[in-house]
Amino acid sequence: MSTYVYGIAECSHPDLPDGTTGVGEPARAVRTVVENGLAAVVSDAPEGLRPKRRDLMAHQRVLYRAEADGPVLPMRFGSIAPDDASVRGVLAERGRHFRERLKALAGKVEYNVKATHQEAAVLRHVMAHNPHIKELSDANNAAGGGSYQQRMRLGELVVAAVQAQEAEDAERLYRMLEPAAAGVAAGPESAAWVANVSFLVDRASVEAFTAAVERVRADRPHLELRVNGPLPPYSFVEPGPAAPAVPRGAGHVSETVE
Amino acid sequence: MTTVVPAQQSRGGGSSGLYDVLELVLDRGLVIDAFVRVSLVGIEILKIDARVVVASVDTYLRFAEACNRLDLESGPHSDPGLPDLVGEITESGARGKSKGVLSGAAETISHAFQQGRDGDDGEEEPRRRRAPRKKAAASGSGSRSGTARTDDEE
């Protein structure tokens, strides 16, 4: 029977989930595998596990509950060990590394912040601050939309202006939130976000952080911010400085598909 | 600071905790090489350094049109058509050079939720947060049935 691993904590963790429900249908019971002063939060691994919503939620829920009472290193979804013995082997072998991370993350949670532009608001902003663009737009309207060349010209200018605004907003968001955080990590890059950044926040500083988020909202009304947290510190399980989150550089528009 | 799972603060109405952190659950977190990872075939986390607005002829024309439309509207807050507008712009923007990847991933993500919902006894599907994805999924090859290639649900 293979073993699904949710996360790793110190044995001294006061309240590791035990008997609660994990992944699978029916949901497998969550238990711990202990070795070397560390405890892996695990359950039996269901056959044919897939990243379905129910299971993703279960993974997240188990970690969230554990994290509430003490630091837990969250595993990426879908980590499966051949059996409990190999989990013990890993705990024994890499105890030092796990302990270092658990210590570093104690009392801290992750907040993920995503920003998008409210496009209409941004376009208005761009037109208001670029008389040239406004003029072109007016002229095109007067000409019933304008010729192909005129529309291209206008669109090109607008796109450049919006891109510059994206870069500026991303940087601004970063600068305003970073001081309230203990760590920063770029979120996985994806289309459609002006910024996607995770912040490691001390539990004692959560109010300061959310206040900073409100300041960003007030400062940039054309930005829509989505804040998710507190989360298990998914983005901070590895040591070392976080990858540069923002800015990605004004005007840098590469489309590298990896 | 005890909150539900996952706690969420967001403006603008209901939203999905999971949808917003899906990428973290799937793409962040500890990986141990001695463990196997469940196949995520089909669930491609987007790795596109595509800003919302991608420079392309298509985008230029769309934006020109959007500006003209805004110009014709009256007042700074006349936003009744905003969702459509946003969808159109960003979708076409992202479509520039990465349509396949983008719509493919949107499909798979929505499909993952679809599956989950099917098995979740009516648990509310997270409101997907942005028109482009919905649109991309809808306009992708063959609508929802076309997503079957991603994650076979038996």
Side-chain angles (χ1 to χ4, degrees), chain A residues 125-162:
Chain A
H125 181 84
V126 158
M127 285 207 276
H129 289 82
N130 296 274
H132 185 51
I133 291 178
K134 177 81 169 99
E135 276 168 33
L136 272 179
S137 179
D138 288 345
N140 282 6
N141 267 339
S147 68
Y148 181 80
Q149 277 77 13
Q150 284 170 323
R151 284 184 289 141
M152 282 291 286
R153 178 75 189 129
L154 172 62
E156 207 173 336
L157 288 170
V158 172
V159 165
V162 171

Side-chain angles (χ1 to χ4, degrees), chain A residues 4-5 8 25 49-54 56-57 59-61 64 73-82 86-87 90 94 97-98 109-112 114 116-120 123-124 127 133-134 136-138 140-141 145 148 151-152 154-156 158-159 162-163 166-167 170 186-194 196 198 203 206 210 214 217 224-231 234-235 237-238 248-249 252-258, chain B residues 1-11 14-41 43 45-55 57 59-61 63-73 75-79 82 85-86 89-90 94 96-98 101-102 112-113 115-117 119-120 123-127 129-130 132-133 150-154:
Chain A
Y4 185 96
V5 187
I8 295 169
E25 176 68 37
L49 182 67
R50 290 292 210 151
K52 292 174 191 164
R53 182 176 195 271
R54 183 183 53 236
L56 289 163
M57 287 294 280
H59 180 91
Q60 166 77 346
R61 190 175 54 239
Y64 185 83
L73 296 180
M75 299 293 297
R76 197 171 293 186
F77 175 84
S79 300
I80 296 176
S86 23
V87 177
V90 166
R94 308 186 194 183
H97 170 68
F98 295 148
V109 286
E110 175 167 344
Y111 278 79
N112 179 259
K114 292 181 171 67
T116 51
H117 267 164
Q118 295 175 9
E119 294 291 348
L123 289 178
R124 288 199 179 89
M127 285 207 276
I133 291 178
K134 177 81 169 99
L136 272 179
S137 179
D138 288 345
N140 282 6
N141 267 339
Y148 181 80
R151 284 184 289 141
M152 282 291 286
L154 172 62
E156 207 173 336
V158 172
V159 165
V162 171
Q163 284 173 338
E166 285 178 359
E189 285 185 352
S190 62
W193 306 117
V194 168
N196 177 14
S198 278
R203 284 185 187 275
V206 162
T210 50
E214 289 310 314
R217 283 187 169 129
E224 185 186 328
L225 294 187
R226 302 176 64 79
V227 182
N228 276 279
L231 297 164
Y234 289 106
S235 304
V237 291
E238 295 300 337
R248 280 180 278 169
H252 168 69
V253 185
S254 65
E255 296 156 73
T256 313
V257 179
E258 288 169 18
Chain B
M1 205 195 56
T2 48
T3 27
V4 290
V5 185
Q8 166 124 48
Q9 310 156 356
S10 77
R11 289 215 168 149
S15 55
S16 109
L18 180 62
Y19 187 75
D20 275 345
V21 301
L22 182 62
E23 66 201 14
L24 299 177
V25 180
L26 288 171
D27 196 55
R28 293 292 188 265
L30 196 57
V31 172
I32 293 174
D33 50 17
F35 300 164
V36 175
R37 281 201 69 217
V38 161
S39 164
L40 299 182
V41 171
I43 303 263
I45 296 299
L46 295 181
K47 288 281 191 186
I48 312 164
D49 184 6
R51 293 192 168 276
V52 179
V53 180
V54 179
V57 171
T59 319
Y60 294 158
L61 293 176
F63 266 74
E65 194 193 320
C67 274
N68 288 350
R69 240 186 286 162
L70 281 184
D71 248 5
L72 293 172
E73 289 169 11
H77 294 297
S78 51
D79 281 353
L82 180 58
L85 187 62
V86 171
I89 291 170
T90 52
K97 286 176 182 170
S98 59
V101 179
L102 182 64
F113 285 126
Q115 291 182 326
R117 188 175 48 177
D120 266 2
E123 185 181 346
E124 189 185 348
E125 184 190 23
R127 193 193 71 148
R129 56 159 307 288
R130 236 173 123 75
R133 289 187 172 152
T150 57
D151 189 4
D152 39 299
E153 168 83 306
E154 57 276 6

Side-chain angles (χ1 to χ4, degrees), chain A residues 91-104:
Chain A
L91 294 181
E93 220 172 86
R94 308 186 194 183
R96 217 174 117 192
H97 170 68
F98 295 148
R99 261 187 270 278
E100 184 278 324
R101 279 291 85 196
L102 284 165
K103 200 176 163 194

